[in-house]
Amino acid sequence: MSTSIPDRPRTLAEKVWDDHLVVKGENGEPDLIYIDLHLVHEVTSPQAFDGLRGEGRGLRRLDLTIATEDHNTPTLEIDKPIADLTSRTQIETLRRNAEEFGVRLHSLGDKEQGIVHVVGPQLGLTMPGITVVCGDSHTSTHGAFGAMAFGIGTSEVEHVMATQTLPLKPFKTMAITVEGELRPGVTAKDIILAIIAKIGANGGQGYVLEFRGSAIRSLSMEGRMTMCNMSIEAGARAGMIAPDETTFDYVKGRPHAPTGQDWDDAVAYWRTLPSDEGAVYDAEVFLDATELEPFVTWGTNPGQGVSLSDVVPDPASFTDPNERAAAERALEYMDLAAGTPLKDVEVDAVFMGSCTNSRIEDLRAFASVIEGRQKAEHVRVMVVPGSARVRLEAEAEGLDKVFTEFGAEWRFAGCSMCLGMNPDQLAPGERCASTSNRNFEGRQGKGGRTHLVSPLVAAATAVLGRLASPSDLPAFEKAEA
Amino acid sequence: MEKFTTHTGVAAPLTRSAVDTDQIIPAVYLKRVTKTGFEDALFANWRQDPAFVLNQSAYAGASILVAGPDFGTGSSREHAVWALRDYGFRVVLSPKFADIFRGNAGKQGLVTGVVTEADIEAIWAALAANPGAEMTVDLEARTARLGDLSVSFDIDDYTRWRLLEGLDDIGLTLRNEEKIAQFEARREAWRPRTLPVR
Ligand code: SF4
């Protein structure tokens, strides 16, 4: 954009910020930042719409706004009325508001419906160098494209609706460099879980994390989305990855991707976005990718994780008294004894879904492990695609058959058991290997116990009925069937 | 947001300290999908007690709340301000407010005046002697008058200015409307658009 560009080297985050400055804040006042894309869902929007109504305001840019239903939607019998009254009210309210204000909405049953963070990228609306907001903390997902994307509260939702801007103070930046080749079976999910375990569930507070290094460049867009999605689990405001050919290839040809001259202009600009040589970050972290193994959480925050081949840690091994106390509480809630090998931990359920891991590649990864096998008898396995389109794609590839023949439930799109706002919940005391992003107490249902894992680990766990990675599965004779 | 200059109304004494947002509005009311209509939720648990101050006929229609210190602590729910506002309160006086509550109040047109503990006691005493008395709050002068009693209150300059001008956050930003429009005029064509549906 035509604003004067400082000559000092800048980071990716600074460049995107600078190019969205509407008003530079003076004397400690916040900057006014333009928002390119506003994603809306049923949980955090009702009061924002109501606020607009009360003040006689409308949306400034309907053409930069899109809504979908996700948190409350049922994943079975989607043609029946929603039983839970609060859920139904939220969804019906969104429908009424979208109609009244003219907002584009993808409702349950529509082929573009799905988790808001799956829908944006798949439509080609998420692209490098833009600002994206949504009343949802996992908006950080979109940073995988080199966008500045972060979650906002309900009053900010109203503010963006009315003005298409937000008053914001610049975030600090943290470079997280991951170098080296990943071992087979180690995925983006394992990298991000390892990062969070390293810097802690609050280690990223106030920062935009920029993931960089050869291991990150080698990831697919879907893997990058998994990483940025969970930046928030390190307490960060956002996560970002510099756009490259992988990014451009992913965006190109999608329904809302630029075309013709616009595409050429866009790519030319996108190539200028990666952090400059010599750009200064407020903090830096390094990770050796070659050492990483499949990862799993043992506690009740996403920073409480270890390699799957490890044992449940002894709280006494934590020097920080708060961490020690947290570990003690977590082990009690999780009903785990220190020293237990994680691979001995039996599960009752496997949840394959959520905005962290419910895209087509995730489903393919899961299917590749279970194909031709049977799930462990005592385990309930739910596969929930991130969007209706992902569901259709999976069915076109025959993945649905792989899932159902394995004994898994093949469901309709939505947040589902990621947060259990709909009926998809764990019973008290049930233990689940989940591809989602939060293992807080009761997150997947009151009293439920969550172990965060990658789709590959989830799949192997579903086969053996205890936490496992694909390399733990007995050699498999495919020809026999 | 409505401008606030002076306001005259019935002052109600809430002779408790550390009134937290869970008391102001219990969590069960957070399920609603509106930003208004929370008047029934205000102090819902306490209002079940017939002796509670707001249930007394002298204080029906009160619009100024005179509370003890540490008002609005606890969870940061904006609903606490909505409930006070919807019930009809325009002003809360207290020796000390929780920061987040104060911030939320200023954005929603609710005046939070900080008065000394001695002045709060004096107001309570005056109200005990004369229940249902009207108070006049002058934001320009930062004073509250009740009969012969006049106290001054503190409110930061910025919040006071916003309240006097009737500017909510959106109103503040819209003062830069021209700059937003200029920014939009130079925005590149490749940037995403959700419409028309493709
Ligand atoms: S899938 Fe889970 S984390 Fe993602 S938006 Fe839905 S509830 Fe939030």
Side-chain angles (χ1 to χ4, degrees):
Chain A
M1 210 141 296
S2 60
T3 41
S4 61
I5 296 167
D7 343 320
R8 66 182 166 74
R10 293 179 302 160
T11 62
L12 164 64
E14 287 176 279
K15 292 181 191 186
V16 178
W17 187 278
D18 289 347
D19 285 349
H20 289 84
L21 264 182
V22 176
V23 180
K24 177 102 193 104
E26 312 263 330
N27 316 320
E29 292 279 301
D31 294 341
L32 192 63
I33 294 294
Y34 199 79
I35 303 302
D36 285 313
L37 181 62
H38 187 190
L39 308 168
V40 174
H41 63 89
E42 77 275 13
V43 180
T44 49
S45 65
Q47 270 131 2
F49 281 114
D50 203 47
L52 291 181
R53 197 179 288 117
E55 298 285 334
R57 291 172 173 142
L59 276 82
R60 182 178 180 90
R61 295 295 298 262
L62 288 168
D63 62 338
L64 305 184
T65 311
I66 185 168
T68 167
E69 300 167 358
D70 54 12
H71 284 66
N72 287 282
T73 51
T75 54
L76 286 177
E77 306 186 308
I78 60 170
D79 46 346
K80 299 242 171 75
I82 299 170
D84 180 79
L85 193 61
T86 309
S87 293
R88 192 163 73 214
T89 308
Q90 288 188 349
I91 285 186
E92 284 172 355
T93 305
L94 177 60
R95 290 177 188 174
R96 264 201 318 277
N97 284 329
E99 167 97 41
E100 179 185 335
F101 287 88
V103 172
R104 171 177 177 182
L105 168 67
H106 295 292
S107 281
L108 197 57
D110 181 311
K111 76 174 188 309
E112 302 297 353
Q113 177 266 338
I115 307 173
V116 69
H117 310 309
V118 177
V119 169
Q122 112 193 336
L123 282 172
L125 288 166
T126 303
M127 52 182 84
I130 65 169
T131 46
V132 185
V133 298
C134 173
D136 186 278
S137 53
H138 292 95
T139 309
S140 58
T141 312
H142 308 264
F145 291 78
M148 171 84 74
F150 48 91
I152 55 178
T154 295
S155 49
E156 292 172 302
V157 169
E158 184 181 336
H159 195 282
V160 174
M161 285 176 168
T163 70
Q164 205 59 37
T165 63
L166 270 182
L168 288 170
K169 298 221 167 132
F171 309 134
K172 293 182 288 179
T173 54
M174 182 188 289
I176 299 186
T177 308
V178 192
E179 291 287 356
E181 204 174 319
L182 292 170
R183 296 183 197 165
V186 180
T187 64
K189 183 67 164 276
D190 305 305
I191 306 179
I192 188 66
L193 285 172
I195 290 171
I196 300 166
K198 184 176 168 114
I199 68 174
N202 293 314
Q205 210 150 34
Y207 290 97
V208 176
L209 312 183
E210 183 186 332
F211 303 109
R212 45 190 311 182
S214 58
I216 305 298
R217 282 195 301 275
S218 74
L219 294 176
S220 68
M221 280 319 292
E222 305 207 347
R224 295 179 189 187
M225 284 189 250
T226 300
M227 297 229 18
C228 289
N229 173 276
M230 288 196 71
S231 322
I232 198 80
E233 257 52 70
R237 273 314 296 265
M240 292 178 95
I241 294 173
D244 59 11
E245 298 306 319
T246 305
T247 322
F248 309 152
D249 289 348
Y250 185 93
V251 174
K252 190 163 192 174
R254 292 188 178 265
H256 287 272
T259 53
Q261 187 60 45
D262 287 346
W263 173 259
D264 296 341
D265 292 348
V267 174
Y269 170 69
W270 294 345
R271 288 191 199 284
T272 69
L273 288 172
S275 294
D276 297 327
E277 192 73 43
V280 180
Y281 296 87
D282 299 300
E284 294 203 51
V285 173
F286 296 89
L287 213 73
D288 183 353
T290 62
E291 287 177 358
L292 294 177
E293 292 180 43
F295 223 76
V296 60
T297 60
W298 49 265
T300 50
N301 82 53
Q304 292 174 321
V306 290
S307 293
L308 182 57
S309 56
D310 231 323
V311 297
V312 175
D314 186 345
S317 66
F318 293 94
T319 42
D320 180 291
N322 291 326
E323 275 182 42
R324 192 182 318 138
E328 276 165 11
R329 264 202 319 278
L331 291 193
E332 190 183 327
Y333 180 85
M334 294 295 288
D335 190 27
L336 289 172
T340 310
L342 279 149
K343 288 186 178 177
D344 286 355
V345 174
E346 290 212 2
V347 302
D348 307 294
V350 169
F351 172 60
M352 172 65 217
S354 90
C355 59
T356 315
N357 286 117
S358 63
R359 300 176 179 83
I360 190 70
E361 276 181 22
D362 300 312
L363 298 188
R364 284 181 194 139
F366 190 86
S368 73
V369 175
I370 63 165
E371 187 165 15
R373 301 183 191 262
Q374 280 300 305
K375 74 172 181 72
E377 210 167 317
H378 67 279
V379 177
R380 171 180 178 205
V381 184
M382 273 174 65
V383 183
V384 184
S387 70
R389 196 173 269 280
V390 169
R391 184 179 154 97
L392 291 174
E393 240 178 306
E395 289 181 349
E397 294 178 17
L399 298 183
D400 57 323
K401 300 235 165 45
V402 176
F403 300 139
T404 48
E405 281 165 15
F406 175 66
E409 300 168 32
W410 173 235
R411 299 259 183 148
F412 287 89
C415 295
S416 181
M417 204 194 264
C418 175
L419 86 168
M421 240 175 140
N422 71 355
D424 308 345
Q425 297 182 7
L426 293 177
E430 272 190 330
R431 186 182 299 282
C432 178
S434 175
T435 63
S436 58
N437 46 44
R438 285 189 171 155
N439 51 347
F440 301 154
E441 289 186 18
R443 168 81 175 182
Q444 297 191 288
K446 199 162 186 284
R449 302 180 173 124
T450 303
H451 295 275
L452 300 177
V453 296
S454 73
L456 292 178
V457 171
T461 301
V463 175
L464 292 183
R466 53 183 172 80
L467 292 172
S469 80
S471 61
D472 298 321
L473 298 182
F476 177 62
E477 330 71 46
K478 208 169 211 171
E480 154 228 315
Chain B
M1 192 168 101
E2 216 180 309
K3 290 187 182 186
F4 190 110
T5 46
T6 64
H7 170 77
T8 301
V10 172
L14 185 65
T15 54
R16 307 183 192 222
S17 59
V19 174
D20 64 53
T21 52
D22 266 293
Q23 304 304 334
I24 300 173
I25 176 167
V28 301
Y29 293 95
L30 306 185
K31 286 186 176 177
R32 294 185 178 169
V33 291
T34 57
K35 201 176 168 175
T36 51
F38 284 91
E39 54 274 8
D40 59 325
L42 181 71
F43 300 126
N45 294 336
W46 289 345
R47 272 159 74 191
Q48 288 173 13
D49 172 6
F52 181 63
V53 57
L54 296 183
N55 290 332
Q56 296 168 26
S57 58
Y59 297 111
S63 58
I64 300 168
L65 193 65
V66 186
D70 294 317
F71 190 86
T73 53
S75 105
S76 64
R77 60 187 70 152
E78 289 175 77
H79 302 69
V81 176
W82 301 345
L84 285 160
R85 181 200 60 194
D86 293 349
Y87 185 89
F89 283 108
R90 305 289 316 277
V91 181
V92 183
L93 299 178
S94 162
K96 191 166 187 286
F97 291 93
D99 283 341
I100 295 179
F101 176 84
R102 254 200 126 176
N104 289 340
K107 292 174 179 186
Q108 303 284 346
L110 181 71
V111 172
T112 49
V114 176
V115 292
T116 63
E117 227 157 306
D119 283 340
I120 286 284
E121 304 271 353
I123 299 170
W124 285 347
L127 289 173
N130 191 6
E134 287 202 335
M135 180 183 258
T136 297
V137 173
D138 183 338
L139 183 58
E140 189 82 56
R142 301 185 219 223
T143 57
R145 245 180 321 102
L146 183 85
D148 298 339
L149 181 68
S150 178
V151 304
S152 54
F153 63 84
D154 244 1
I155 184 163
D156 67 275
D157 291 339
Y158 178 71
T159 306
R160 173 168 159 272
W161 167 75
R162 284 180 67 158
L163 289 161
L164 288 170
E165 296 288 324
L167 288 170
D168 60 4
D169 278 347
I170 293 174
L172 262 178
T173 293
L174 288 177
R175 288 158 56 95
N176 289 305
E177 215 283 325
E178 208 175 310
K179 294 213 171 103
I180 299 173
Q182 284 164 5
F183 184 95
E184 287 176 328
R186 61 174 196 266
R187 238 174 125 249
E188 299 90 336
W190 57 261
R191 291 188 183 266
R193 286 205 202 289
T194 59
L195 298 174
V197 177
R198 269 182 245 156

